[in-house]
Amino acid sequence: SLLHLPVRRCKPELVAPAKSTPHEQKLLSDIDDQESLRAQFPAIQFYRYEPSMKGKDIAEVIKEALAQTLVFYYPFAGRLKEGANGKLIVDCNGDGVMFIKADTDITLEQFGEPLQPPFPCFEELLFDVPGSQAMLNCPLLIYLHLIYIKVFTNTPSIPPVWERYLLNARDPPRVTFTHHEYDRVEATVIMDNMVECSFFFGPVEVSLLRSLLPLHLRHCTKFELITACLLRCQTIAMNLDPEEQVRMLCIAHVRSKFNPPLPSGYYGNVLVSPTAITTVKNLCHNPVGYAVELIKKAIANVTEEFIKSTADLFAIRGKSLYVPAVIGSYGISDLMHMGFENVYFGWGKAEFGGTAPKATGLVSFFIPTKNKATN
């Protein structure tokens, strides 16, 4: 069975920048520094065989590309340290990122059509660096064959920009929004039987869902529409008390909201989580248009001021705000335009590129896909 196919994993090695890079310490922004982001985010890429690369050691090609890229993105070759008041600092010491070559006898076709998470063998391919869950003093980036934690582009045409202070709290900080995404709530139900699976929403499915909405809501975005439906389905499936509150955290990448714009080469987190909040009873007993309205209102909140208010909240209340294990809090992140499939190693676009996290039932991801009919 694919699920038990042996993976031959080589010894881990560190890949350092190809040239000497600055040795310095860099502060993260208050948005980067939030505790909910102190986690590993696995992603996966599938590439087809490229005849022009015949005879080349693919692992060596990737290592060379990685070493060249790290000259520009040298903080990734460093290590996280903790400064005063728990503030994270990147110690740019050039130690390098971790790379592990692994082989297994699988063809792309054996993963099925279309390619979709969960992927067989993924747990065997992932390498858990001892102690790395603590994040400090560990490699910031881990490559396993074509598996990695953060996405690089090739040698950048736009120089990378650190300038994390642009997303720091104001002085003095002032919270101007009610941030329900960071409400302190207790888990009332423990769910330990969550199953990971993929659902496809193509033009036909989206059209059908739109037809369920009143006319004034049919111009909503696909993200608003599908998110509303997922929130409703998830809540029904969890069979919570009708008076229980539920939250949908719309994890948003919001660099476009800044005026003046952030530098185009800025590669820090620009993430906030506008949140729709309601009760189980209201969500389940109303038509899906009710959920769409909630999501639309939450997303409409996201302005530059909302982002600054979020950073200010961290400054006032500390970074340990969001407890992602609270049942009734459900997150969704739109990765449709993140460009996972465009990461270039010399053999074209990836057949699939996206996140492949362990199933928790608490966060879902929108990722692009294609099938043979639509290519």
Side-chain angles (χ1 to χ4, degrees):
S1 156
L2 270 179
L3 293 173
H4 303 291
L5 200 65
V7 172
R8 298 175 294 280
R9 188 185 291 143
C10 296
K11 188 178 177 183
E13 55 184 307
L14 290 174
V15 177
K19 300 175 186 173
S20 178
T21 54
H23 279 229
E24 57 191 0
Q25 295 199 330
K26 288 183 173 290
L27 292 174
L28 294 174
S29 77
D30 285 318
I31 296 290
D32 287 325
D33 207 12
Q34 55 188 297
E35 203 153 292
S36 63
L37 296 180
R38 297 188 187 190
Q40 296 176 352
F41 294 94
I44 189 166
Q45 244 92 350
F46 287 96
Y47 292 89
R48 289 200 177 275
Y49 172 68
E50 172 51 55
S52 68
M53 303 298 282
K54 187 175 180 180
K56 294 188 179 179
D57 183 330
I58 290 175
E60 291 302 317
V61 171
I62 297 170
K63 277 166 57 180
E64 174 62 24
L66 189 53
Q68 295 291 343
T69 303
L70 286 171
V71 174
F72 299 93
Y73 292 92
Y74 63 88
F76 282 116
R79 299 293 181 266
L80 284 178
K81 309 285 184 188
E82 207 160 39
N85 302 315
K87 181 75 177 170
L88 288 182
I89 299 165
V90 181
D91 180 19
C92 302
N93 56 17
D95 279 1
V97 305
M98 187 162 284
F99 183 92
I100 306 106
K101 179 184 176 182
D103 296 296
T104 190
D105 299 317
I106 308 176
T107 65
L108 201 57
E109 286 65 35
Q110 286 175 276
F111 282 100
E113 168 67 35
L115 290 165
Q116 58 175 299
F119 294 109
C121 291
F122 194 64
E123 290 300 313
E124 294 176 62
L125 283 169
L126 274 180
F127 182 72
D128 189 14
V129 178
S132 65
Q133 295 296 334
M135 306 306 289
L136 300 179
N137 303 308
C138 288
L140 294 181
L141 188 68
I142 304 168
Y143 266 75
L144 173 53
H145 208 25
L146 291 185
I147 295 171
Y148 62 97
I149 303 302
K150 288 187 187 256
V151 178
F152 279 132
T153 57
N154 334 328
T155 302
S157 55
I158 300 167
V161 173
W162 185 264
E163 294 183 8
R164 303 298 170 101
Y165 66 86
L166 293 169
L167 272 79
N168 276 349
R170 295 171 286 203
D171 186 15
R174 53 186 187 277
V175 178
T176 51
F177 283 81
T178 303
H179 291 279
H180 286 301
E181 61 270 33
Y182 301 114
D183 285 350
R184 291 189 170 100
V185 289
E186 295 297 323
T188 56
V189 180
I190 301 300
M191 302 288 281
D192 56 4
N193 58 344
M194 305 304 290
V195 176
E196 183 186 358
C197 60
S198 293
F199 297 93
F200 294 88
F201 294 89
V204 173
E205 290 81 5
V206 170
S207 249
L208 181 60
L209 292 175
R210 278 196 200 281
S211 71
L212 303 175
L213 298 177
L215 285 174
H216 74 282
L217 286 177
R218 289 191 186 176
H219 65 281
C220 69
T221 66
K222 281 192 285 188
F223 178 83
E224 291 163 348
L225 176 64
I226 297 171
T227 298
C229 292
L230 288 176
L231 172 60
R232 203 162 176 271
C233 292
Q234 168 98 352
T235 303
I236 291 167
M238 290 170 78
N239 197 26
L240 300 170
D241 184 282
E243 302 303 323
E244 185 94 23
Q245 280 191 333
V246 288
R247 290 167 175 75
M248 170 58 89
L249 284 70
C250 303
I251 303 164
H253 304 265
V254 292
R255 63 178 302 133
S256 64
K257 301 292 182 181
F258 284 82
N259 186 20
L262 290 173
S264 52
Y266 184 83
Y267 63 104
N269 281 300
V270 194
L271 290 173
V272 292
S273 303
T275 299
I277 185 166
T278 186
T279 62
V280 172
K281 180 172 63 180
N282 285 345
L283 187 62
C284 298
H285 293 180
N286 278 300
V288 71
Y290 172 81
V292 170
E293 292 266 29
L294 284 174
I295 301 298
K296 281 180 71 69
K297 285 177 183 171
I299 291 172
N301 270 340
V302 180
T303 58
E304 183 173 355
E305 180 59 33
F306 182 90
I307 301 156
K308 289 177 176 174
S309 177
T310 302
D312 292 352
L313 184 68
F314 288 128
I316 292 169
R317 276 176 49 185
K319 297 171 179 57
S320 183
L321 288 169
Y322 170 42
V323 183
V326 173
I327 300 302
S329 291
Y330 181 38
I332 193 149
S333 181
D334 185 357
L335 303 179
M336 290 293 289
H337 305 291
M338 288 292 284
F340 285 96
E341 71 281 5
N342 295 325
V343 178
Y344 183 75
F345 291 108
W347 41 88
K349 273 195 170 190
E351 288 293 306
F352 173 90
T355 58
K358 293 177 183 176
T360 65
L362 296 163
V363 182
S364 291
F365 298 92
F366 285 6
I367 52 177
T369 189
K370 59 183 179 179
N371 57 35
K372 285 179 180 173
T374 59
N375 198 30

